[in-house]
Amino acid sequence: VNGAGPAHLGRLGSVGGVAHAKAEIYAGRGADGIGVVNADDAFAPYFSEVLGTRQQLRFGLAQPAAITARELQLGASSRFVLVAPAGEVAVDLPLPGRHNVMNALAAATCAIALGAGLDAIGAGLQSAHGVSGRLTRHVASGGWTLFDDSYNANPASVMAGIATLVLGGGEAWLALGDM
């Protein structure tokens, strides 16, 4: 998919169609707009191509990006150092999972594009809270933990939930219903 232009997207079926639709958002940016691109997305090169010479900020964990995280510690919360062109700030995100770190990087990148400072961004991320039914953690008196991930589940969120479930180590049980 890397470097896939519009001609190649049609061969990718609905995934290519979704990428093309998302690229329309980038194409509609004004000359002074800033495109925020997930560098870890398979379509990031295509989105950058669509942005052309317009300014863009890239975030990610796996691919080179202007906004990233280091010293990542995943558990009941997610601790990391947010790294940006203007500096670094330690973050204790009260949400579990690598996917929530990526969400935090996306939010931080948007805030940076709008001119927010790193201290304000760090404070905002540390005050974030989850949505009921999205990996809501319930600790029972018997010492076991239940993660409720029933809100609008889809294959990607199920995979993120499983990845978060196994972070705790030890015995884990997974119950799935209709999606």
Side-chain angles (χ1 to χ4, degrees):
V1 174
N2 287 344
H8 301 290
L9 295 176
R11 290 185 294 201
L12 298 174
S14 62
V15 173
V18 170
H20 182 68
K22 287 183 178 183
E24 289 175 352
I25 296 168
Y26 291 122
R29 298 292 316 156
D32 60 343
I34 299 173
V36 173
V37 177
N38 176 353
D40 294 349
D41 188 291
F43 289 98
Y46 172 58
F47 298 145
S48 290
E49 179 185 319
V50 170
L51 280 164
T53 59
R54 289 174 285 206
Q55 185 179 359
Q56 61 181 280
L57 282 174
R58 296 167 66 92
F59 69 92
L61 291 171
Q63 297 298 316
I67 292 85
T68 190
R70 63 178 181 81
E71 299 178 26
L72 194 58
Q73 298 174 1
L74 300 175
S77 66
S78 303
R79 294 184 177 152
F80 59 94
V81 175
L82 174 67
V83 179
E88 300 180 351
V89 64
V91 175
D92 186 358
L93 183 70
L95 302 169
R98 181 181 173 94
H99 66 288
N100 278 319
V101 173
M102 284 296 290
N103 290 339
L105 292 177
T109 305
C110 290
I112 290 167
L114 293 170
L118 287 181
D119 289 337
I121 292 169
L125 292 174
Q126 291 181 171
S127 68
H129 56 84
V131 174
S132 181
R134 294 235 174 180
L135 280 177
T136 305
R137 187 172 187 257
H138 303 280
V139 179
S141 59
W144 53 272
T145 302
L146 169 74
F147 284 102
D148 172 7
D149 196 30
S150 59
Y151 179 88
N152 197 22
N154 61 60
S157 70
V158 170
M159 294 306 291
I162 292 170
T164 302
L165 177 66
V166 300
L167 284 175
E171 185 176 0
W173 290 64
L174 176 67
L176 296 174
D178 288 340
M179 284 190 266

